[in-house]
Amino acid sequence: MRRPQDVISRPRKPTDATVTDKAPPAAGPVDTVGVEQAEAALVEHYPRLVRLAYLVLPPHLGRNRRVLTAHSLVQRALPRGRGGRPQRSGPGASGVPLPRGGEGQDAPGEASTRERAHTFVRRQVLRQALAAEPPLLRGRWPSRAQLPPLLPQVWGLRLFPRSGGADELALDQRLAALSGAGRAAYVLRGLEQLDDPALREILVAAGVTEPDAALAEADTVPPSPLLESAEFDPCSLQARPTDLMRRRQHTRAALAALAALVVCGVLLATSGQDAAQRGNPAADLALDPGQLTRVAPAAWRTADRADFSAWPARGNLTEDQGLLRRALADWAAPGEAARVSATPGTPTGPAMGPPQLLYAGELDGARIVLLHDGLRLVRYAEPIAGDDGRGTALDLARVDAATEATANAVVLARTDSEVRYLTAPWADQVSVRDLLDPAAAPRTLARDTAGVTAPVAASSMARDCRTWDAMEVRDSSGTRTLTDLGELVPARLTAGPAESPADLRTASDRAGWARTACTLPTLRSRGVRSVNSWTYATQTLPDAGGTARWLCTRAETWRGPGSRVFAQFQSPVVGRGLPGAIAARAEDSAACGAKRPEVLAGVLWKSKTQKWYLLAAGNDRLTSLSASGGVNGSAQGNLLALPAHQGDQAALSGKLADGTRVNLLR
């Protein structure tokens, strides 16, 4: 465990006992105290530790400041880090609890641990209290203990211990005349009943460079039992109000300053927006519907790139200047009633210049405008019935680096149960296929002259997973399978090895997706561009259990980061769309992708004979697998099956032909 960072202090006077800014020598077993033991000691001895801090803190802080600072120092005395158990040797090192010493008694190991914890916390409190001793100097950065505490804070009240008599006042004055180290020696001697050798060791550990001088200073004040009196108890407090007239003046001044700041901010914001709109020609063009880019209907046939930039302007409202102007204005500065959504990593600001018009028309009770600025797709929708309480909607999605394979459709309209798409101009035929029924034939999906489809079930929004309707778009280069994941652009579904995913073609591809589709709702609203699922291994199960399939599913996003990977174990069970078991998962990982196609996962499996096995599989690049921990064993090749027990946990690893280690997907 790391030792808590030492608080740095400066010398008080050249002749006084001083506190060093160097780390003290190692304190042996004290440094092996864990956070939990230190917290227990702090809670148990809290009143005494706060009294110690209050007495050692410099009197020039004032009683209210000393009270709050004392509590703050004690509450900050825990060691750094979150580890609750120290690394140590000797009894109890194995983590097994030490035996009790008898009813109502602590074992010797527990008692020593509690003493070490108390010693550690006391040393931390003392070190911080001594660091507050030097006065603040110009040009020198103050230590944390010299500044007012952040916590605890009390507003509108002054707190101080109960007042004592003349004897307590005289003792307080004598302590104020000592240096911080001298006060520390006197207080430790009086409160903790320590002898000089123990005092000297504690002072050195707290950073005092001249402990003998501190002890000599402490000898100048006679011992007194008044250190235990209420005069020096910062846990038994009295409260009085602060200066009420001054507080009222400060409150009025703060309110006036806040009002002036708000007014200035509003003026600057509005003037800045007006200036930007007046002085930015590109912004002016972006708001002019007459400057919208419009692609010819047949331009996609000869375009160098088959992406959204080749889509023509379609719909029955492409000449409605009022609608287009409202859409551009809402994009540039959405109104209060506008509902704006964007996929992760998509900027929501206005276009840098005139965008491209893809669609403008009426659909399902709304006027819809679809725009493209080279980086993003933007869909604007307003109700036809006027102000029906819904307001306008603005949806943005990042689509940079789109290709013909990923620019096949856009969601134009959506309800809780259905979606309607605008298909690419090169789409020759569009159909719907239930992914959960790989043997079923696709159903033709009707489209109007603008390329808008009939409603398709929004399977990703369904509460159960009884069907999963995906759209198939066929063109001259093949058939793409697309599915809605709650965003503007549907995700492309593929199958095949990580290095070369391809569109779904075979019965085996569709059979794998039949038991994978019900996992797709976990990918909703993540900006997913494509999802590839491939069978990386098949395994003959023990006890004549049949053949299982291991699949890796990888979802990649338009923005690059944010990928999600999970490995599935699909046992040979019968059931429509029954999903496989998720054996492992990872986020923002290159595993199971073109850069790092290796994948390894494992599960505990129960056979028909009620026996448990540890099953593991990697892709064909792995030449050996091994397990350790709760189950031990190894095998050559990319498959592993070992006898196990219910609840066993094991660490899995594999090796490539060149000896490179491959760890479990996580």
Side-chain angles (χ1 to χ4, degrees), residues 479 492-497 499-505 509 513 531-533:
T479 301
R492 179 192 179 197
L493 304 183
T494 59
E499 306 94 323
S500 55
D503 294 304
L504 278 60
R505 297 190 182 96
D509 294 341
W513 267 108
V531 186
N532 184 55
S533 188

Side-chain angles (χ1 to χ4, degrees), residues 283-633:
D284 294 338
L285 292 176
L287 294 173
D288 183 2
Q291 299 296 323
L292 286 171
T293 301
R294 299 168 186 258
V295 176
W300 61 272
R301 299 181 184 276
T302 57
D304 294 331
R305 296 188 306 167
D307 57 13
F308 292 111
S309 64
W311 282 29
R314 290 174 283 179
N316 60 350
L317 297 179
T318 55
E319 302 301 327
D320 189 333
Q321 299 296 304
L323 172 64
L324 300 178
R325 189 180 302 277
R326 291 193 299 274
L328 293 171
D330 217 36
W331 183 4
E336 294 182 359
R339 293 176 287 111
V340 181
S341 68
T343 57
T346 302
T348 58
M352 298 299 294
Q356 176 187 352
L357 177 63
L358 303 185
Y359 179 87
E362 294 182 357
L363 190 66
D364 296 340
R367 299 185 187 92
I368 297 174
V369 177
L370 186 64
L371 303 167
H372 178 237
D373 69 349
L375 172 67
R376 301 163 293 177
L377 285 176
V378 179
R379 180 185 61 193
Y380 168 84
E382 65 179 27
I384 293 178
D387 188 6
D388 62 352
R390 289 186 297 171
T392 61
L394 194 70
D395 302 304
L396 301 95
R398 183 171 174 174
V399 292
D400 50 323
T403 63
E404 182 180 2
T406 54
N408 281 285
V410 176
V411 174
L412 271 189
R414 180 192 306 279
T415 65
D416 292 340
S417 59
E418 295 177 334
V419 291
R420 298 184 68 178
Y421 298 96
L422 175 66
T423 55
W426 52 79
D428 297 327
Q429 184 178 349
V430 180
S431 57
V432 175
R433 182 188 291 272
D434 183 4
L435 291 181
L436 303 190
D437 189 359
R443 310 184 303 273
T444 300
L445 182 62
R447 293 183 294 169
D448 63 15
T449 56
V452 180
T453 69
V456 179
S459 301
S460 66
M461 306 293 290
R463 295 183 178 180
D464 49 22
C465 191
R466 298 181 179 179
T467 62
W468 193 284
D469 283 348
M471 184 172 65
E472 293 184 340
V473 179
R474 179 178 301 175
D475 57 31
S476 58
S477 60
T479 301
R480 273 88 188 205
T481 303
L482 310 175
T483 189
D484 171 51
L485 292 180
E487 297 176 328
L488 199 54
V489 183
R492 179 192 179 197
L493 304 183
T494 59
E499 306 94 323
S500 55
D503 294 304
L504 278 60
R505 297 190 182 96
T506 66
S508 178
D509 294 341
R510 288 190 285 272
W513 267 108
R515 299 183 61 184
T516 303
C518 288
T519 63
L520 287 173
T522 62
L523 305 177
R524 292 187 69 252
S525 304
R526 295 179 60 90
V528 173
R529 174 177 181 168
S530 61
V531 186
N532 184 55
S533 188
W534 61 292
T535 302
Y536 68 85
T538 58
Q539 184 175 24
T540 302
L541 299 177
D543 299 339
T547 302
R549 299 173 55 170
W550 292 86
L551 287 85
C552 187
T553 303
R554 178 180 177 86
E556 297 187 344
T557 66
W558 287 95
R559 64 189 184 278
S563 62
R564 178 171 287 189
V565 184
F566 53 89
Q568 288 185 77
F569 172 76
Q570 294 185 354
S571 59
V573 296
V574 178
R576 170 184 166 88
L578 186 65
I582 302 299
R585 66 181 71 218
E587 294 195 22
D588 285 324
S589 171
C592 198
K595 292 183 178 180
R596 201 177 75 201
E598 295 81 16
V599 58
L600 172 62
V603 295
L604 280 176
W605 175 77
K606 186 178 180 181
S607 71
K608 296 179 180 178
T609 60
Q610 307 302 307
K611 295 180 180 179
W612 286 91
Y613 292 90
L614 171 65
L615 305 179
N619 62 318
D620 55 8
R621 292 194 177 192
L622 275 71
T623 58
S624 66
L625 301 181
S626 62
S628 60
V631 182
N632 292 278

Side-chain angles (χ1 to χ4, degrees), residues 4 7 27 30-31 33 37-54 56 70 73-79 113-131 184-185 187-195 197-208:
V7 178
V30 174
D31 289 333
V33 174
Q37 292 91 341
E39 182 180 16
L42 188 151
V43 173
E44 180 180 358
H45 301 283
Y46 187 82
R48 199 169 194 84
L49 292 170
V50 176
R51 185 187 292 264
L52 171 64
Y54 178 80
V56 176
L73 297 185
V74 175
Q75 293 171 16
R76 297 205 312 263
L78 293 180
T113 299
R114 292 170 61 186
E115 291 174 2
R116 288 200 305 270
H118 177 220
T119 302
F120 173 84
V121 174
R122 181 179 61 191
R123 185 184 68 188
Q124 293 299 99
V125 172
L126 186 62
R127 182 181 298 167
Q128 295 182 79
L130 290 172
V187 173
L188 287 170
R189 180 183 289 166
L191 290 180
E192 304 293 334
Q193 301 297 316
L194 300 175
D195 56 17
L199 280 174
R200 187 177 291 105
E201 181 180 355
I202 292 176
L203 292 174
V204 171
V208 176

